[in-house]
Amino acid sequence: MVMNKAGRDIPKEYADQFGIYEGELAHISDYQEASRTIKPVKPRDEKLVGSIREAIEKTGLTDGMTISFHHHFREGDFVMNMVLEEIAKMGIKNISIAPSSIANVHEPLIDHIKNGVVTNITSSGLRDKVGAAISEGIMENPVVIRSHGGRARAIAAGDVHIDVAFLGAPSSDEYGNANGTKGKATCGSLGYAMIDAKYADQVVIITDTLVPYPNTPISIPQTDVDYVVVVDAIGDPKGIAKGATRFTKNPKELIIAEYASKVITNSPYYKEGFSFQTGTGGAALAVTRFMREQMIKDNIKARFALGGITNAMVELLQEGLVEKIIDVQDFDHPSAVSLGEHADHYEIDANMYASPFSKGAVINQLDTAILSALEVDTDFNVNVMTGSDGVIRGASGGHSDTSMACKMSLVISPLVRGRIPTFVEHVNTVVTPGSSVDIVVTEIGIAINPLREDLVEHFKVIDIPQFTIKELQEKAYSIVGTPDPIQYGDKVVALIEYRDGSLIDVVRNV
Amino acid sequence: MVMNKAGRDIPKEYADQFGIYEGELAHISDYQEASRTIKPVKPRDEKLVGSIREAIEKTGLTDGMTISFHHHFREGDFVMNMVLEEIAKMGIKNISIAPSSIANVHEPLIDHIKNGVVTNITSSGLRDKVGAAISEGIMENPVVIRSHGGRARAIAAGDVHIDVAFLGAPSSDEYGNANGTKGKATCGSLGYAMIDAKYADQVVIITDTLVPYPNTPISIPQTDVDYVVVVDAIGDPKGIAKGATRFTKNPKELIIAEYASKVITNSPYYKEGFSFQTGTGGAALAVTRFMREQMIKDNIKARFALGGITNAMVELLQEGLVEKIIDVQDFDHPSAVSLGEHADHYEIDANMYASPFSKGAVINQLDTAILSALEVDTDFNVNVMTGSDGVIRGASGGHSDTSMACKMSLVISPLVRGRIPTFVEHVNTVVTPGSSVDIVVTEIGIAINPLREDLVEHFKVIDIPQFTIKELQEKAYSIVGTPDPIQYGDKVVALIEYRDGSLIDVVRNV
């Protein structure tokens, strides 16, 4: 065991392989960018093939290779299941999969793991049954959890080399020019997929909407694409927007949202031309609503909003309260439509969004971000990966990226959820180190990270109750009692990479 | 000496180093894409530096390195002269320059060559005094001439590795997001520069119009940029559009244009959704005008127009006669404006435009292209590089790329220019092999390449006089006499790469 800077014990074999977390910027240095093998496409060559099977055959996919997918279709994705089913039928084994994330809808993956088709996984998240199965220990090799920026870093640095990327595209032409704003299952930005397209040796575009050449706008260009397959349906539009757009009516969440909005609009960063990211989820959407009111009142406009985009943000753009939206992912249909129609709604890839190894990500220019949490501990460490039972059910997402890079990060969370404390002595799993978290917002008030002396000083006068993070934990425990420790097994089922590629934590089986 | 497939003798040392031309697709094979060294940019790092000198210092540029520029400002470019002057002042020597092309305005380069500051050059073209000086033999090492697609290929394949790209940008923000459609010296597409930005180890954006972050649309993203410098002026807008937009009133050129338009609109490719590239120059613009009339008459629209774009093409887009413009370079101000305003006017990079090593360039999807010539010989070989005196004064451009890849290439040229025959027994310099040229159009009629039996058959009935290419040459000689052979020296002053990187010809001193 080797203890890292987040105070977590990392088994030596993994510490040796990945390195351990030693601070937010400890492992940022010059590197040679990874590159792909290119098969040039000659005049008159055609890329359109008849089926997913034919595409797999043409790529020469064999045992032991790495394939990737994107998660822009979220719970509506058909692509990963279709491709893995075909791979399984073809008898190909020992495949590593590197999707940008994994959803509930990917439950068939469990059988592919058990049958030896899939033997390695890297992903931002694992939900429900897949997460539970991984936590039970069905895989020999641990899953590698990467943040969105960390995944882009891993691909650019060559830690992940994608042999074949299978990328669902709401529309494509026969030569592979693809976007997410036209078609039957529009998902908007293809920001995560764009990285795979640039670095994978071979790229297969899978679409249900073939359009005449040249398809524009071009999110994935023909110069990144080897084959194009047309299928009946790549995704379910309802699943794409699932659970993302509802405004909260929960009184606790509304108070949290109001406090968060108040913190931002009273911060040193709130001025003409500021920038923010609010993300998705009920409370986050409500923050946007409260901020809107204040911005109108103060006649202040934001220069840009970033991130995972929802309709709430699009409305600010339409109202002129936000000048530009910089978009790596859309969470609902109106956002996808806006990306296709509004020149100031701009698509970027995951590297530009959040990679710590890029020549400067957009999050580096961000004033403030609102992030969620499953657990926060008294060192401000945040867990967005495992439940209170220790089972994997979350996603790293852009959490550690954005909180580290922006000028003021807010983690919003109720004090307790049901009978479970959100504020704890030690989080089950560290995804984001406490040093990246500036202010925690709950329904009873806020706690400012004492490392941020400037913010402590600035907010002395704010009209919101303030606590230490220890007090928040004690209050949570006083409501629901001290939680029992989780009985983990000995097997490491997941490695949690910090965004720089080092290990910030591991997850053991339960 | 080794004779290549174009019948040209290549000195053995260069043949060994580059390989020799062996046919249009002989050297197209899988390869490992080149990659760059990246210095990650951390949160709070700034890219804005005070001067070109400071930028050069920060990049650590030293003797022997390779730097690049783009030629989107054409005769209005200030950037290359400014940067080379500073490099010279700093005492740095033995620099290789890899601009996408070199214009008359770059005459100060001659002194930098004589003083040992610049010792290697690769470029698409060399004009006037610089071309003449090179032809005189002022450089020890031959200039390497590459087509636009060939340059993108050379960079992607690592034949050219750019240490620092100095890229003029009409507008940029402090983090390096740049485009060519806003600012004081708008040039429109930054298609050639985009390649340098992606592959160079370090990129310096030089702008005279700094805009608030984030600058959109993004032609060159912040993730490709290390430093940003603001100067008083990066270019002269008048020089950008110089000589490009005038319509011809020359009766010979008008007949040629009419014939060319007739060939296209009577070809098998002329139907709803066809595509074309006409390029610049008086006759080419006139072709667009004649085609427009015929398209309106026949109620036929083009799916896309490609290339170097002029206002004549933008008008077709506005009229709905062309659905989309795919734009790697703009030749006048209205085109640059259109790119910024019209969603169906779409910017692409040089790799996507024309690289034979890409996963499929747009020229591969092109029906027909109109190209110019300084000389055409009886094997249909085309020279766009050296004058009748053997002096370098032209540019390879997209000539060999487009003519090879499109379905029907037209080379348009008057039979003679002044007292100089355009049609000759052997061109001085082969840039495009005759096998890529399908139809030659002159003011007296056309010659169809006998290799294109399908076109010979198809055009049997067309109402244009037809000749063999030999007859055109004989007619030219009958008007102005047989030209005297050029007295070349022994020194090789330029190597002419075919688009695949092999040598199709060399130019000797005169």
Side-chain angles (χ1 to χ4, degrees):
Chain A
M1 292 292 173
V2 189
M3 187 179 283
N4 69 16
K5 206 180 171 184
R8 296 288 157 145
D9 286 324
I10 309 296
K12 192 164 178 313
E13 71 173 293
Y14 301 118
D16 288 347
Q17 194 183 337
F18 291 82
I20 58 165
Y21 173 69
E22 299 182 282
E24 291 162 328
L25 296 172
H27 294 287
I28 308 294
S29 50
D30 299 4
Y31 68 105
Q32 186 73 26
E33 191 178 21
S35 79
R36 57 190 167 175
T37 302
I38 292 179
K39 290 198 284 190
V41 173
K42 299 171 189 172
R44 313 310 155 249
D45 285 356
E46 292 188 359
K47 297 184 181 182
L48 198 65
V49 296
S51 64
I52 289 176
R53 186 177 192 116
E54 190 184 340
I56 296 170
E57 286 168 352
K58 293 232 176 203
T59 63
L61 188 77
T62 54
D63 294 8
M65 283 188 173
T66 298
I67 63 175
S68 78
F69 307 92
H70 69 73
H71 75 292
H72 289 286
F73 303 127
R74 304 175 69 241
E75 290 298 344
D77 179 48
F78 295 169
V79 173
M80 187 156 98
N81 291 343
M82 283 194 293
V83 171
L84 285 180
E85 191 184 331
E86 204 58 48
I87 286 173
K89 275 189 201 160
M90 291 169 74
I92 300 172
K93 300 277 182 186
N94 192 22
I95 289 293
S96 296
I97 64 168
S100 51
S101 203
I102 292 172
N104 299 330
V105 73
H106 299 125
E107 198 182 320
L109 180 56
I110 297 171
D111 278 342
H112 296 309
I113 293 168
K114 289 181 177 167
N115 295 333
V117 176
V118 172
T119 49
N120 284 285
I121 297 176
T122 177
S123 175
S124 162
L126 295 164
R127 308 289 184 171
D128 279 25
K129 291 190 181 162
V130 179
I134 298 296
S135 276
E136 276 171 27
I138 62 165
M139 291 194 74
E140 194 180 320
N141 305 316
V143 171
V144 181
I145 299 294
R146 292 183 162 104
S147 71
H148 291 327
R151 180 178 190 267
R153 179 210 62 75
I155 293 171
D159 294 354
V160 174
H161 180 77
I162 302 165
D163 294 298
V164 187
F166 294 93
L167 303 177
S171 73
S172 176
D173 60 40
E174 292 194 8
Y175 224 41
N177 294 299
N179 67 50
T181 57
K182 295 176 183 168
K184 289 181 276 190
T186 50
C187 61
S189 176
L190 288 174
Y192 298 122
M194 287 154 80
I195 289 298
D196 303 43
K198 279 179 193 161
Y199 290 92
D201 285 342
Q202 294 186 79
V203 172
V204 178
I205 291 289
I206 300 173
T207 189
D208 54 15
T209 306
L210 196 70
V211 301
Y213 184 90
N215 186 27
T216 56
I218 299 171
S219 303
I220 295 172
Q222 62 188 51
T223 41
D224 287 343
V225 176
D226 298 86
Y227 302 106
V228 178
V229 184
V230 182
V231 296
D232 290 338
I234 53 168
D236 170 13
K238 282 180 204 146
I240 295 173
K242 198 170 178 182
T245 50
R246 59 186 162 74
F247 267 117
T248 185
K249 288 181 180 170
N250 179 320
K252 260 206 251 181
E253 289 194 334
L254 284 172
I255 297 175
I256 292 171
E258 200 178 342
Y259 282 164
S261 168
K262 213 175 208 176
V263 167
I264 292 173
T265 56
N266 283 281
S267 77
Y269 307 108
Y270 179 67
K271 55 191 175 198
E272 184 65 21
F274 81 115
S275 57
F276 65 102
Q277 170 172 325
T278 53
T280 181
L285 290 176
V287 177
T288 308
R289 192 197 289 172
F290 286 116
M291 282 179 61
R292 174 181 171 276
E293 286 167 17
Q294 195 61 43
M295 288 165 71
I296 291 171
K297 215 160 141 184
D298 300 332
N299 193 26
I300 278 186
K301 291 180 294 296
R303 179 117 338 113
F304 71 94
L306 177 65
I309 301 300
T310 61
N311 189 34
M313 208 64 93
V314 169
E315 285 171 1
L316 296 187
L317 180 72
Q318 288 164 345
E319 285 185 280
L321 291 170
V322 163
E323 268 181 53
K324 294 181 183 180
I325 290 178
I326 306 296
D327 185 349
V328 72
Q329 181 180 18
D330 292 289
F331 288 114
D332 54 31
H333 188 65
S335 308
V337 171
S338 167
L339 178 65
E341 291 179 353
H342 204 304
D344 288 324
H345 186 160
Y346 210 83
E347 184 179 35
I348 59 165
D349 66 29
N351 180 57
M352 182 154 164
Y353 171 50
S355 173
F357 269 27
S358 74
K359 290 184 177 182
V362 179
I363 53 172
N364 293 0
Q365 294 286 331
L366 190 65
D367 285 327
T368 186
I370 292 174
L371 301 149
S372 62
L374 291 173
E375 291 180 327
V376 184
D377 72 18
T378 51
D379 292 320
F380 285 89
N381 293 317
V382 177
N383 169 22
V384 284
M385 185 52 55
T386 50
S388 61
D389 53 2
V391 174
I392 298 171
R393 58 165 53 90
S396 176
H399 202 289
S400 63
D401 301 308
T402 311
S403 56
M404 186 275 149
C406 79
K407 297 194 184 75
M408 182 180 74
S409 65
L410 274 62
V411 168
I412 61 171
S413 177
L415 218 51
V416 301
R417 289 188 176 90
R419 295 301 303 162
I420 297 163
T422 307
F423 289 81
V424 294
E425 289 185 283
H426 298 289
V427 289
N428 291 330
T429 309
V430 180
V431 172
T432 295
S435 55
S436 295
V437 176
D438 295 322
I439 300 179
V440 165
V441 183
T442 74
E443 71 277 25
I444 64 163
I446 63 172
I448 303 176
N449 191 328
L451 291 173
R452 287 300 300 266
E453 290 171 21
D454 58 328
L455 294 178
V456 171
E457 182 62 29
H458 178 87
F459 284 117
K460 266 190 176 153
V461 294
I462 198 170
D463 178 26
I464 301 174
Q466 293 196 39
F467 303 90
T468 66
I469 190 78
K470 183 68 186 159
E471 287 169 339
L472 291 180
Q473 173 257 308
E474 286 167 353
K475 279 193 185 286
Y477 283 19
S478 74
I479 300 168
V480 293
T482 302
D484 294 329
I486 299 165
Q487 298 303 319
Y488 287 107
D490 290 332
K491 184 174 182 175
V492 172
V493 298
L495 306 173
I496 313 294
E497 264 194 14
Y498 186 61
R499 59 198 300 257
D500 65 7
S502 67
L503 294 184
I504 194 160
D505 210 343
V506 300
V507 180
R508 290 186 168 76
N509 65 313
V510 280
Chain B
M1 292 292 175
V2 189
M3 187 180 283
N4 68 15
K5 207 181 169 185
R8 295 290 157 145
D9 285 324
I10 309 296
K12 194 166 177 311
E13 71 171 296
Y14 301 117
D16 290 347
Q17 193 183 338
F18 291 81
I20 59 165
Y21 173 69
E22 299 182 283
E24 291 162 329
L25 296 172
H27 294 287
I28 307 294
S29 49
D30 299 4
Y31 68 105
Q32 187 73 27
E33 192 178 19
S35 78
R36 57 189 168 176
T37 303
I38 291 179
K39 290 198 283 189
V41 173
K42 299 172 189 171
R44 315 307 157 252
D45 285 355
E46 292 187 359
K47 297 184 182 181
L48 198 63
V49 296
S51 64
I52 288 176
R53 186 178 192 115
E54 191 184 339
I56 295 170
E57 286 168 353
K58 293 234 176 202
T59 63
L61 188 77
T62 54
D63 293 9
M65 284 189 171
T66 299
I67 63 175
S68 77
F69 306 92
H70 69 72
H71 75 291
H72 289 286
F73 303 127
R74 305 175 68 241
E75 289 298 344
D77 179 47
F78 294 170
V79 174
M80 187 157 99
N81 290 344
M82 283 193 292
V83 172
L84 286 180
E85 190 184 332
E86 204 59 47
I87 286 173
K89 276 189 200 160
M90 291 169 73
I92 300 172
K93 300 275 181 188
N94 192 22
I95 289 293
S96 296
I97 65 168
S100 50
S101 203
I102 292 172
N104 298 332
V105 73
H106 298 126
E107 196 183 324
L109 181 55
I110 296 170
D111 278 341
H112 297 309
I113 293 168
K114 290 182 177 166
N115 295 333
V117 177
V118 172
T119 49
N120 284 285
I121 297 175
T122 177
S123 174
S124 162
L126 295 164
R127 308 288 184 173
D128 279 24
K129 292 192 182 162
V130 180
I134 299 296
S135 275
E136 277 171 26
I138 62 165
M139 292 194 74
E140 193 179 321
N141 305 316
V143 171
V144 181
I145 298 295
R146 293 183 161 104
S147 71
H148 291 326
R151 180 178 190 266
R153 180 210 61 75
I155 293 171
D159 293 354
V160 174
H161 180 76
I162 302 165
D163 294 297
V164 187
F166 294 93
L167 303 177
S171 73
S172 175
D173 59 40
E174 292 194 7
Y175 224 41
N177 294 299
N179 66 50
T181 56
K182 295 175 182 169
K184 290 180 274 190
T186 51
C187 60
S189 176
L190 288 174
Y192 299 122
M194 288 156 80
I195 289 297
D196 303 43
K198 280 180 193 161
Y199 290 93
D201 285 341
Q202 295 185 79
V203 173
V204 178
I205 292 289
I206 300 172
T207 189
D208 53 17
T209 305
L210 196 70
V211 301
Y213 184 91
N215 186 27
T216 57
I218 300 172
S219 303
I220 295 171
Q222 61 188 51
T223 40
D224 287 343
V225 176
D226 296 85
Y227 303 106
V228 178
V229 185
V230 182
V231 296
D232 290 339
I234 53 169
D236 170 14
K238 281 181 206 145
I240 295 174
K242 197 169 177 181
T245 50
R246 57 185 166 73
F247 267 117
T248 184
K249 288 183 180 170
N250 178 319
K252 259 205 247 179
E253 288 194 334
L254 284 172
I255 296 174
I256 292 171
E258 199 179 343
Y259 281 164
S261 168
K262 212 175 209 176
V263 166
I264 292 173
T265 57
N266 282 281
S267 78
Y269 307 107
Y270 178 68
K271 55 190 174 199
E272 185 65 20
F274 81 114
S275 57
F276 65 101
Q277 170 172 324
T278 52
T280 182
L285 290 175
V287 177
T288 308
R289 190 198 289 173
F290 286 117
M291 281 179 63
R292 175 180 171 276
E293 286 166 18
Q294 195 62 42
M295 287 166 72
I296 292 171
K297 213 161 143 184
D298 300 333
N299 192 28
I300 279 186
K301 291 180 294 296
R303 178 114 342 107
F304 71 94
L306 176 65
I309 301 300
T310 60
N311 189 36
M313 209 62 94
V314 169
E315 286 171 0
L316 295 187
L317 179 72
Q318 288 164 344
E319 284 185 279
L321 290 171
V322 163
E323 269 181 53
K324 295 181 183 180
I325 290 177
I326 306 296
D327 184 349
V328 72
Q329 181 180 16
D330 292 290
F331 288 113
D332 54 31
H333 188 65
S335 308
V337 170
S338 167
L339 178 64
E341 292 179 353
H342 204 304
D344 289 323
H345 186 160
Y346 211 83
E347 183 179 33
I348 58 166
D349 66 29
N351 180 57
M352 182 154 164
Y353 171 52
S355 173
F357 268 27
S358 74
K359 289 183 177 182
V362 179
I363 52 172
N364 293 359
Q365 294 286 330
L366 189 65
D367 285 327
T368 186
I370 291 174
L371 301 150
S372 61
L374 290 172
E375 290 180 326
V376 183
D377 72 18
T378 51
D379 293 319
F380 285 89
N381 295 317
V382 177
N383 168 21
V384 284
M385 184 52 55
T386 49
S388 61
D389 51 4
V391 175
I392 299 171
R393 57 167 50 92
S396 176
H399 203 288
S400 63
D401 300 309
T402 310
S403 56
M404 186 274 150
C406 78
K407 297 193 184 76
M408 182 179 74
S409 64
L410 274 63
V411 168
I412 59 172
S413 178
L415 217 51
V416 299
R417 288 187 177 92
R419 295 301 304 162
I420 298 163
T422 306
F423 289 81
V424 294
E425 288 185 284
H426 298 289
V427 288
N428 290 330
T429 309
V430 180
V431 172
T432 295
S435 54
S436 296
V437 176
D438 296 321
I439 301 178
V440 166
V441 183
T442 73
E443 72 276 23
I444 64 162
I446 62 174
I448 303 176
N449 191 327
L451 291 174
R452 288 298 301 267
E453 290 172 22
D454 58 328
L455 295 178
V456 171
E457 182 62 29
H458 179 87
F459 284 117
K460 268 191 173 152
V461 292
I462 197 171
D463 178 26
I464 301 174
Q466 293 195 39
F467 302 90
T468 65
I469 190 77
K470 183 68 186 159
E471 286 169 339
L472 291 181
Q473 173 256 310
E474 286 166 354
K475 279 193 185 284
Y477 283 18
S478 75
I479 299 167
V480 292
T482 301
D484 293 327
I486 298 165
Q487 298 303 320
Y488 286 108
D490 290 333
K491 184 173 182 177
V492 173
V493 297
L495 306 172
I496 312 294
E497 266 195 11
Y498 186 60
R499 59 197 299 256
D500 66 6
S502 67
L503 294 184
I504 195 160
D505 210 342
V506 299
V507 180
R508 290 187 168 76
N509 65 313
V510 278

